[in-house]
Amino acid sequence: MDWSFFQRPLIQVADHRISLLGLLAFLGWFAAGLIAARTLQSSAVRRFIRRFRIETNLIAIATSILSLAVLVFFTVTAINAAGIPLAWSTPLPAINLSLVQVFLLVVLLIVVFWISSRTKRFLFDQLLVNSGLERSLQYAISQIVSNVVLVVGIFIVLENTGIHLGALTVFAGAVGVGVGFGLQNIASNFISGLVILTERPITIGDRIEVAGIAGQVEQIRARSTVIRTNDNISMIVPNTKFIDSPVTNWTYGDPRVRFRIPVGVAYGSDIPKVRETLLAVAREDSHTLTEPPPTVFLEKFGPNSLEFELVAWSSQMSYRPRRYRSDLNFAIAEKFRQAGIEIAFPQRDLHIRSGVLKVENVGPDGVRAPSKGE
């Protein structure tokens, strides 16, 4: 078989002639790169990497970067196989880095992110578990140390891959201008996140209300905080909201919360009986604390009712305040029905100062009954 046909130049790229054999080699290597990149994005590879207890977000980032790096590697190999020499050690245009240094930079950055993540997990799940510190403080320490490891690791990687920090002076100045304008909010949120972790006005597991959002704190991240509502919806709140806005923390320092339940009863009701019934409702609820004990206040004599207020303490229902109030209201309605206590409703007295008011009697069937004289 005559192989000279496959070696004849078909096309010319710059000063290099590409034969049919070179073109087939290019297509083969490039196809292999696509297959390898798709393989790294498969669920099987993700499950294998997850065995090393790496966070899901980091796995997604790592597999995406690795698939892109593999695609670049196979593409460069395909170009070399086609007959266009592209040395791995040759600096790339516009940057003083070769392809080998770029790949090394990518791999080392992934390793740094992995070490930062593992450091946080190690501190929070193992080293600080039996330290006697609060879990929220353990989380804050773990997060801060993880951020320090990440920043220091990135600087070390940049220095060892040939990117000297002294050469980034102009870039740092540009970034400073960007922080003053476009990146101002990001920088502000990052600093606010550090303030939250150090001062701890909110911690993991707290029940809070901020900017019209009520829920439990799930995560405190560098730029934002994740709050999970009672509807199981995760709300992402910028960290600056916790610094420049009023924040209601239901469990700050002491998990006990006082609940106030207003109740109106009709005039003429037995006041001592109403008081004992309300106290019985609070005591019978399993979520009510015995200390401080529940109490009842007679708030005022309203226009339509005697207005009482049941006050009960709970350390568990601060995460579900609406449920606790609803349970107490249901129990109050049932207890009042059994005790014969009437819940008040709006009433008005009509006084006729002059004139004549004609009154007609209407039977049960709606037919007007005849009056006297008809």
Side-chain angles (χ1 to χ4, degrees):
M1 184 177 180
D2 187 11
W3 292 93
S4 60
F5 172 75
F6 294 96
Q7 298 176 353
R8 293 176 185 175
L10 291 180
I11 57 177
Q12 183 171 349
V13 178
D15 297 332
H16 306 283
R17 296 180 179 180
I18 301 176
S19 62
L20 179 59
L21 187 61
L23 185 61
L24 293 176
F26 173 82
L27 293 177
W29 280 104
F30 187 73
L34 291 177
I35 295 174
R38 291 294 300 272
T39 302
L40 288 174
Q41 293 285 342
S42 63
S43 57
V45 173
R46 294 176 185 270
R47 287 195 300 268
F48 174 76
I49 300 177
R50 199 174 291 117
R51 294 179 180 178
F52 298 96
R53 295 182 179 180
I54 301 177
E55 293 182 358
T56 304
N57 293 335
L58 184 58
I59 293 176
I61 296 174
T63 53
S64 300
I65 294 177
L66 287 176
S67 62
L68 181 60
V70 167
L71 185 60
V72 172
F73 171 80
F74 276 91
T75 302
V76 173
T77 305
I79 293 175
N80 288 326
I84 302 177
L86 184 59
W88 288 96
S89 60
T90 303
L92 297 176
I95 59 176
N96 192 25
L97 292 176
S98 63
L99 286 174
V100 174
Q101 290 175 314
V102 171
F103 279 114
L104 181 62
L105 176 63
V106 171
V107 172
L108 290 179
L109 287 178
I110 293 177
V111 172
V112 167
F113 277 97
W114 178 78
I115 293 175
S116 175
S117 175
R118 291 299 300 170
T119 300
K120 178 181 175 181
R121 284 179 173 269
F122 172 74
L123 292 175
F124 187 68
D125 296 334
Q126 299 182 27
L127 184 63
L128 299 176
V129 170
N130 299 321
S131 62
L133 301 174
E134 296 180 1
R135 289 296 285 172
S136 57
L137 182 57
Q138 296 176 17
Y139 179 86
I141 294 174
S142 304
Q143 184 67 47
I144 293 174
V145 173
S146 175
N147 292 338
V148 172
V149 170
L150 180 61
V151 173
V152 173
I154 290 176
F155 279 122
I156 294 176
V157 168
L158 294 179
E159 283 286 350
N160 286 273
T161 52
I163 303 177
H164 300 289
L165 300 180
L168 300 178
T169 305
V170 178
F171 176 75
V175 171
V177 175
V179 169
F181 293 96
L183 301 180
Q184 182 178 3
N185 290 335
I186 297 178
S188 179
N189 285 320
F190 179 77
I191 296 174
S192 299
L194 294 179
V195 172
I196 292 173
L197 290 174
T198 53
E199 291 188 356
R200 299 195 303 139
I202 62 172
T203 56
I204 302 299
D206 283 355
R207 170 79 183 187
I208 65 171
E209 294 181 12
V210 59
I213 300 173
Q216 187 174 355
V217 178
E218 292 285 330
Q219 294 181 5
I220 301 177
R221 302 187 296 198
R223 190 194 65 84
S224 60
T225 295
V226 180
I227 300 175
R228 186 175 298 277
T229 66
N230 287 349
D231 296 328
N232 201 30
I233 299 175
S234 296
M235 308 294 292
I236 312 299
V237 182
N239 287 331
T240 53
K241 293 292 185 181
F242 300 95
I243 303 300
D244 55 19
S245 300
V247 180
T248 302
N249 192 334
W250 286 60
T251 53
Y252 186 77
D254 190 347
R256 298 178 302 175
V257 177
R258 182 168 62 179
F259 292 85
R260 300 175 180 270
I261 311 297
V263 181
V265 299
Y267 277 98
S269 300
D270 189 341
I271 293 180
K273 187 176 182 181
V274 171
R275 180 178 181 276
E276 291 302 322
T277 302
L278 291 175
L279 289 176
V281 168
R283 295 191 187 104
E284 291 175 3
D285 193 288
S286 60
H287 299 105
T288 302
L289 296 177
T290 56
E291 185 63 35
T295 185
V296 176
F297 296 99
L298 177 56
E299 287 290 297
K300 62 180 180 178
F301 300 95
N304 302 305
S305 64
L306 296 171
E307 299 184 8
F308 291 84
E309 184 178 64
L310 172 62
V311 177
W313 291 78
S314 177
S315 59
Q316 302 176 10
M317 300 305 290
S318 58
Y319 298 99
R320 295 188 298 169
R322 188 178 179 185
R323 166 59 60 186
Y324 185 57
R325 293 191 180 98
S326 176
D327 291 343
L328 291 179
N329 283 328
F330 274 117
I332 290 172
E334 178 63 22
K335 286 285 187 181
F336 277 12
R337 184 187 64 81
Q338 296 175 0
I341 301 173
E342 181 182 359
I343 297 178
F345 56 89
Q347 302 180 36
R348 292 292 183 270
D349 294 332
L350 181 61
H351 299 274
I352 302 176
R353 305 186 63 176
S354 62
V356 178
L357 180 64
K358 184 178 180 181
V359 179
E360 294 183 351
N361 295 326
V362 180
D365 55 354
V367 178
R368 183 174 67 88
S371 58
K372 292 182 179 181
E374 291 185 356

